[in-house]
Amino acid sequence: MTATPSGLEPQMLDEHIIIQSRLISINSRFATRKVNGRKHSSLLFDFNSIAIRDAETLYHTIAIQSAEIPASYYNVNAFNNEINITQGAVTTTITIPKGNYNANTFATSFMTLFNAVAGMDDATLAFNTTTGCYSFMSDQAGANLTINLASTTANVLLGIDPDENTGSISFNYAADDPTFFPLPANFLGVTKIKVLSDALSGGNYDSKSLGTTTLVDTISVSGGGFGLTDFTSLGRESFVKAKRIDEIDIQLLDQDNNVINFNGINWTMTLLINTHTRALFSNETTETTIGTILNDRYVAELKAAEKTESVEKELDDVEFDII
């Protein structure tokens, strides 16, 4: 049973919620553990009692106050740089070197690699600036090309639905009438950064899984290749399930839930953690006590009462010799 501070009746107390705010400045450079090495997108920061759990703590909320994230990642990377092609009896996989490309530089790189493959005729990958689509055709009359979707990861770049990962697309030879890819080429790369954390998760939803995840917030990318995304808080907070926070883990994923590779470049972020606790106020009308926060006094009196009970118990256990 909760005791009442001396001199105050229960009807003379009001309970209110007090919010204690803490700013947590994070720099990927100083992570305690870099889980995925120089990618700098899965990190652990071993703080000491950022938010404690006690009887008065109700819950915590988290918000990203600001973030400065360099666009040191590439729009052509390990997740989207392979094209598997068959011509006649020969099949090859073209792997585009990682880096930042536009439609024209990508086509040039592809043709340089493809046209060097032994046993295959040269081909042309051409970009149509009006439709934004690529066309693809062998330079040899009668030679047809097939892209095998199960072994191709560059779907979005070429203009293929990313969910089409079976079957194939054929590009038949037709002089002056090449076959076009079904969709516009897309070299936007990372457009959204998802910030996830097991320690700070609160049950936000993500359409990728259609359920709750460890998502804390999302940051819309504003800096293009080798630029800077400078994010400022939108004032939104998320509920945190954990009542005690000792360490913070951070994972940064792109809009497709791929791990972002920052290529050894560091980023910074400032988190705002709000701790919501109970506080007792006096509602007496005397000048000395009106509106007084009683939590400190209340806790002190509880400890004193516990100490008194302990002393009394010790005394009860003592046997005195009567002379």
Side-chain angles (χ1 to χ4, degrees):
M1 181 176 179
T2 303
T4 301
S6 59
L8 289 175
E9 298 296 329
Q11 64 269 23
M12 300 175 67
L13 299 175
D14 286 333
E15 183 175 276
H16 296 271
I17 306 301
I18 300 297
I19 300 176
Q20 182 182 26
S21 298
R22 294 181 178 87
L23 287 177
I24 311 297
S25 179
I26 289 179
N27 186 329
S28 61
R29 176 185 175 188
F30 304 118
T32 308
R33 182 185 175 197
K34 298 177 181 178
V35 179
N36 60 356
R38 292 173 61 83
K39 291 182 179 179
H40 288 185
S41 53
S42 182
L43 307 172
L44 182 66
F45 299 86
D46 191 9
F47 289 99
N48 182 21
S49 298
I50 291 178
I52 63 173
R53 180 174 184 173
D54 55 34
E56 303 306 318
T57 300
L58 297 174
Y59 59 91
H60 308 290
T61 57
I62 182 72
I64 298 178
Q65 191 79 353
S66 62
E68 298 75 31
I69 303 178
S72 57
Y73 38 78
Y74 300 140
N75 62 357
V76 176
N77 52 55
F79 296 108
N80 64 0
N81 68 336
E82 294 186 346
I83 308 167
N84 187 268
I85 303 172
T86 297
Q87 179 188 332
V90 180
T91 297
T92 186
T93 296
I94 302 300
T95 302
I96 305 297
K98 301 171 188 176
N100 282 328
Y101 293 79
N102 58 35
N104 292 321
T105 57
F106 182 86
T108 299
S109 179
F110 168 80
M111 287 187 291
T112 298
L113 295 169
F114 180 81
N115 294 344
V117 176
M120 284 189 166
D121 297 308
D122 290 354
T124 298
L125 181 68
F127 181 68
N128 186 306
T129 57
T130 301
T131 64
C133 296
Y134 277 125
S135 64
F136 188 39
M137 188 174 70
S138 173
D139 294 342
Q140 179 65 39
N144 297 325
L145 300 169
T146 300
I147 292 184
N148 307 300
L149 299 180
S151 302
T152 295
T153 61
N155 295 42
V156 172
L157 301 175
L158 292 171
I160 303 171
D161 189 325
D163 293 325
E164 290 188 20
N165 49 25
T166 59
S168 61
I169 299 179
S170 295
F171 297 83
N172 300 323
Y173 178 86
D176 301 321
D177 187 21
T179 302
F180 282 85
F181 283 86
L183 303 174
N186 185 344
F187 288 86
L188 291 176
V190 178
T191 58
K192 177 180 287 187
I193 297 175
K194 298 181 181 181
V195 182
L196 291 85
S197 173
D198 292 323
L200 305 177
S201 65
N204 290 327
Y205 283 77
D206 190 340
S207 62
K208 177 70 175 180
S209 61
L210 296 178
T212 57
T213 68
T214 59
L215 180 70
V216 174
D217 207 338
T218 62
I219 296 174
S220 297
V221 172
S222 57
F226 306 117
L228 179 71
T229 291
D230 188 1
F231 173 81
T232 303
S233 173
L234 299 176
R236 57 195 178 202
E237 296 181 41
S238 296
F239 170 75
V240 178
K241 291 180 179 178
K243 280 196 173 183
R244 181 181 180 90
I245 304 171
D246 286 317
E247 61 182 20
I248 294 178
D249 62 295
I250 297 289
Q251 298 88 45
L252 301 182
L253 309 181
D254 68 11
Q255 66 274 10
D256 296 317
N257 275 28
N258 294 319
V259 174
I260 297 175
N261 184 354
F262 288 96
N263 294 300
I265 303 301
N266 290 298
W267 50 265
T268 58
M269 186 179 295
T270 300
L271 304 177
L272 175 67
I273 295 181
N274 287 326
T275 299
H276 300 248
T277 60
R278 297 185 185 89
L280 296 176
F281 284 75
S282 165
N283 62 10
E284 291 181 286
T285 57
T286 61
E287 293 183 0
T288 58
T289 59
I290 186 168
T292 303
I293 299 177
L294 300 176
N295 263 35
D296 292 344
R297 189 172 118 196
Y298 175 53
V299 171
E301 290 185 1
L302 283 180
K303 290 182 177 179
E306 291 173 358
K307 185 174 182 180
T308 302
E309 292 176 0
S310 175
V311 171
E312 289 178 352
K313 185 177 179 181
E314 290 178 4
L315 290 175
D316 288 341
D317 294 336
V318 174
E319 294 183 1
F320 295 95
D321 292 330
I322 299 176
I323 299 176

